[in-house]
């Protein structure tokens, strides 16, 4: 069986800024894999390259099919779905309207799935017809993940989902990620919360200034001194003469 995702030689450039440098990543079916790295390391740019929302060089195989030239909506329809950094909830729309946006690429019946989502998240069900602005940060993250679920992902990419959440909500979020994975979802998790990410993922990659400087099993990465160095040494604002 081919890997669910195999990306080779991914390069993203913004003008002269080479934000992602010849990155190779792969995910097997059913894995949780994390991508770690300091601010500006290129994590979001890598996810956008995989999703097809920034121009990138390199090859992306999804379940063995070369999707490198596909548009982002076509990739979403194939099951490559992202929960973006900062959640990107539309606060003037209702909770339900936000949820339905996840189904924009579908033309089949999905009411059973929205019912299942409201069963899973009673807080969202109670606020279904209220503007999403009434939601707390944690509830907005649940809504962003629910919206992504409605796109029927085979691979869900989460960009710093724990950002700004209290420790209790972070724990709930990681429980949810594990639950979704147990239900069969493959997950690519970008995080700055290295501790929680490595406790959840099977393997990880560490990005520094756009390049992978370290990769391996979560336990090995947790105890690798180079992980901390990647965070400190890789900070653009700390790069002195
Ligand atoms: N749209 C853009 N135009 C120009 N430069 C960009 C753009 N997006 C990101 N960059 C630059 O590319 C580099 C990588 O940014 P990216 O957002 O991918 O990093 P990141 O690891 O996700 O950081 P963070 O942890 O802050 O989210 C940075 O130098 C950033 O300034
Ligand atoms: Mg980012």
């Amino acid at each position: 069986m081919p890997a669910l995702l195999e990306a080779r030689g991914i390069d993203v450039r913004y003008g002269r800024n080479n934000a992602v440098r010849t990155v190779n990543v792969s995910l097997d079916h059913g894995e949780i894999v994390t991508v770690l790295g300091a601010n500006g390391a290129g994590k979001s740019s890598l996810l956008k390259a995989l999703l097809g929302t920034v121009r990138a060089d390199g090859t992306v195989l999804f379940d063995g099919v070369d999707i490198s030239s596909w548009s982002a909506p076509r990739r979403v329809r194939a099951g490559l779905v992202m929960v973006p950094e900062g959640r990107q909830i539309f606060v003037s729309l209702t909770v339900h309207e936000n949820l339905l946006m996840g189904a924009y690429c579908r033309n089949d019946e999905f009411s059973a799935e929205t019912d299942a989502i409201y069963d899973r998240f009673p807080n969202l069900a109670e606020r279904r017809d209220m503007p999403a602005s009434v939601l707390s940060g944690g509830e907005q993250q649940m809504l962003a993940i629910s919206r992504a679920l409605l796109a029927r992902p085979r691979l869900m990419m989460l960009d710093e989902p724990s950002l700004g959440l209290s420790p209790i909500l972070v724990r709930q979020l990681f429980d949810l990620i594990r639950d979704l994975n147990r239900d069969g979802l493959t997950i690519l998790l970008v995080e700055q919360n290295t501790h929680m990410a490595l406790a959840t993922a099977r393997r990880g990659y560490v990005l520094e200034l756009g390049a992978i400087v370290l990769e391996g099993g979560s336990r090995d990465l947790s105890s690798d001194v180079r992980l901390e160095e990647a965070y400190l040494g890789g900070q653009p604002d700390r790069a002195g003469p």
Side-chain angles (χ1 to χ4, degrees), residues 39-40 42-45 85 159-160 190 192:
N39 287 117
K43 306 180 298 295
S44 298
S45 299
E85 193 172 353
D159 195 351
E160 300 206 34
V190 159
Q192 292 214 29

Side-chain angles (χ1 to χ4, degrees), residues 13-15 17-20 37-46 48 54 85 159-160 163 190 192 207 210 236:
R13 289 190 187 81
Y14 303 108
N17 183 356
N18 196 179
V20 177
N39 287 117
K43 306 180 298 295
S44 298
S45 299
L46 173 62
K48 288 176 192 166
V54 291
E85 193 172 353
D159 195 351
E160 300 206 34
L163 200 69
V190 159
Q192 292 214 29
L207 275 181

Side-chain angles (χ1 to χ4, degrees), residues 205-222:
Y205 298 92
V206 182
L207 275 181
E208 185 178 334
L209 300 175
I212 291 175
V213 291
L214 206 56
E215 65 179 276
S218 293
R219 196 172 301 169
D220 290 340
L221 284 182
S222 307

Side-chain angles (χ1 to χ4, degrees), residues 101-187:
M101 299 195 95
Y104 78 100
C105 281
R106 297 176 57 170
N107 46 24
D108 58 339
E109 175 58 39
F110 50 79
S111 56
E113 289 160 65
T114 52
D115 290 349
I117 284 166
Y118 286 131
D119 283 346
R120 195 194 273 262
F121 303 113
N123 285 3
L124 297 184
E126 283 163 22
R127 293 163 180 76
R128 175 192 156 114
D129 296 316
M130 296 183 194
S133 56
V134 304
L135 299 182
S136 68
E139 289 164 348
Q140 287 194 7
Q141 189 57 267
M142 298 305 158
L143 178 56
I145 291 173
S146 299
R147 183 177 60 186
L149 286 173
L150 258 198
R152 252 189 326 206
R154 300 179 65 205
L155 170 60
M156 187 185 278
M157 303 191 288
L158 294 147
D159 195 351
E160 300 206 34
S162 75
L163 200 69
L165 301 186
S166 68
I168 287 180
L169 290 176
V170 170
R171 240 171 290 140
Q172 285 175 7
L173 169 75
F174 279 91
D175 285 345
L176 171 63
I177 289 171
R178 273 188 287 264
D179 279 353
L180 294 173
N181 177 250
R182 230 172 274 132
D183 292 344
L185 188 61
T186 308
I187 294 174

